[in-house]
Amino acid sequence: MWLFRFLVLLCFTFLLLPSAQGWSKEGHVLTCQIAQELLNPEATEAVQALLPESAGGNLSAMCVWADQIRRWSKYRWTSPLHYINTPDNACSFLYKRDCHNTAAQLNMCVAGAIRNFTTQLTAFPKQGPDAKNNLTEALLFLSHFVGDIHQPLHVGFTSDEGGNTIELRWYRHKSNLHHVWDREIILTALADYYDKDTGLLLEDLQRNLTHGIWSDNVPTWERCVNVNSCINNWAEESIKLACTWAYEGVEAGMTLSEDYFDSRLPIVMERLAKGGVRLAMLLNRVFSENPKGGFGSSI
């Protein structure tokens, strides 16, 4: 029961945090809201069973949990699970080459984390509610890390720590390139187009998924035969977008504003949508009671 008392306390802590945070809040919340709307009945029931009562049945209420606890001594080991460092300018991802921490431990990256927690959650259909204590954290980590792997600079270059050391200005204030993609682009879009209302932005994303610009792409986004290969492909997408859109034309000390914002905003919005669709796909599959509907031996 300690875990659920801890999660309850953490939920109340979230309510006291400032609302202006980045992909660690708005982006992750949007990703999880999109995903929850796409869950099938089996996955909905499983998610409801695993969420702490304080979440009120809302997965997005817990999708920033992994960021909040990563610096706590108990969870410090999870810090490298939020990203992937790739060789500078390689613009590619290779699991055996890139998925490790600074101590060269394999699987210690966001792609490895998604593999691990997806595998853990496949136990739920067999164990049911009795597995709750063991699998709640797996659900929260998976929901967060699927968001992380879709942020292009969470699969970035080693030397600049995914753009974290590239200091620059975003319009009139100091920032860095990673922060621009984590937070600034989303917050600027909210201010410019949605009256700072994430609900309106969510409606726009969902509209484009159901009968808008992405509706024809959704079946392709959620197609997955072997989960490990799919996760590798998501990481490969991100590093290629990082090279083509995030790093392109950027130098330390410069000011990024309208031109950068206007051209990169569609990329950020599509990545949020893809992350939501793919998180729903994973949860629908791992919680499937039909062996043919799940991943089976592919993980």
Side-chain angles (χ1 to χ4, degrees):
M1 292 299 295
W2 70 267
L3 173 61
F4 293 97
R5 288 196 295 268
F6 165 69
L7 292 175
V8 168
L9 176 62
L10 201 56
C11 271
F12 285 116
T13 301
F14 292 157
L15 297 177
L16 301 177
L17 292 173
S19 60
Q21 296 183 26
W23 206 307
S24 61
K25 185 177 182 183
E26 284 85 357
H28 281 294
V29 167
L30 288 163
T31 295
C32 286
Q33 287 174 324
I34 290 168
Q36 191 158 16
E37 289 296 316
L38 298 174
L39 295 181
N40 62 31
E42 290 174 347
T44 297
E45 183 178 354
V47 168
Q48 298 297 321
L50 289 175
L51 284 174
E53 275 187 36
S54 56
N58 182 5
L59 179 62
S60 67
M62 299 302 300
C63 279
V64 295
W65 176 80
D67 270 342
Q68 298 297 327
I69 53 87
R70 62 189 292 186
R71 290 181 177 84
W72 298 11
S73 57
K74 175 180 170 61
Y75 293 99
R76 201 164 291 145
W77 64 273
T78 68
S79 187
L81 303 184
H82 292 257
Y83 59 86
I84 299 167
N85 285 329
T86 68
D88 290 7
N89 301 307
C91 297
S92 65
F93 169 71
L94 297 174
Y95 190 91
K96 289 184 178 180
R97 181 192 69 189
D98 303 328
C99 192
H100 56 80
N101 60 14
T102 55
Q105 293 175 296
L106 191 63
N107 305 316
M108 294 295 288
C109 78
V110 67
I114 296 172
R115 288 187 182 192
N116 175 42
F117 293 116
T118 300
T119 301
Q120 288 187 36
L121 287 172
T122 59
F124 184 84
K126 297 177 183 178
Q127 298 180 32
D130 292 339
K132 185 171 184 178
N133 288 341
N134 296 324
L135 297 183
T136 294
E137 284 195 357
L139 171 65
L140 303 186
F141 278 128
L142 178 65
S143 300
H144 183 90
F145 292 141
V146 171
D148 277 348
I149 203 171
H150 283 85
Q151 203 274 62
L153 284 176
H154 275 255
V155 190
F157 297 160
T158 301
S159 66
D160 57 50
E161 300 175 9
N164 273 293
T165 66
I166 301 178
E167 297 183 356
L168 40 72
R169 297 186 72 85
W170 180 251
Y171 290 83
R172 296 181 179 86
H173 64 262
K174 292 181 180 180
S175 190
N176 66 62
L177 185 60
H178 188 96
H179 197 55
V180 165
W181 283 78
D182 254 3
R183 179 184 191 190
E184 308 284 16
I185 292 174
I186 294 173
L187 292 186
T188 301
L190 283 168
D192 287 0
Y193 301 123
Y194 299 101
D195 198 26
K196 299 184 180 180
D197 187 340
T198 55
L200 295 177
L201 173 52
L202 175 63
E203 290 176 8
D204 213 7
L205 292 171
Q206 291 173 323
R207 188 180 306 112
N208 279 317
L209 283 170
T210 55
H211 51 266
I213 58 175
W214 303 316
S215 57
D216 292 339
N217 300 326
V218 171
T220 302
W221 292 355
E222 62 187 2
R223 185 176 301 138
C224 184
V225 176
N226 180 287
V227 68
N228 291 346
S229 297
C230 295
I231 296 164
N232 290 348
N233 290 338
W234 304 345
E236 181 77 8
E237 288 175 1
S238 279
I239 185 56
K240 289 188 179 303
L241 289 171
C243 288
T244 305
W245 293 101
Y247 287 114
E248 180 64 26
V250 175
E251 296 180 4
M254 70 189 312
T255 297
L256 302 180
S257 55
E258 282 85 359
D259 289 346
Y260 194 91
F261 170 71
D262 290 341
S263 57
R264 274 62 173 183
L265 178 61
I267 307 300
V268 171
M269 295 298 106
E270 184 173 296
R271 295 306 281 173
L272 291 173
K274 275 188 176 181
V277 167
R278 287 164 171 172
L279 174 57
M281 178 274 295
L282 286 179
L283 296 176
N284 285 336
R285 300 280 288 279
V286 298
F287 292 132
S288 174
E289 295 179 358
N290 178 359
K292 294 183 179 180
F295 287 110
S297 60
S298 69
I299 58 176

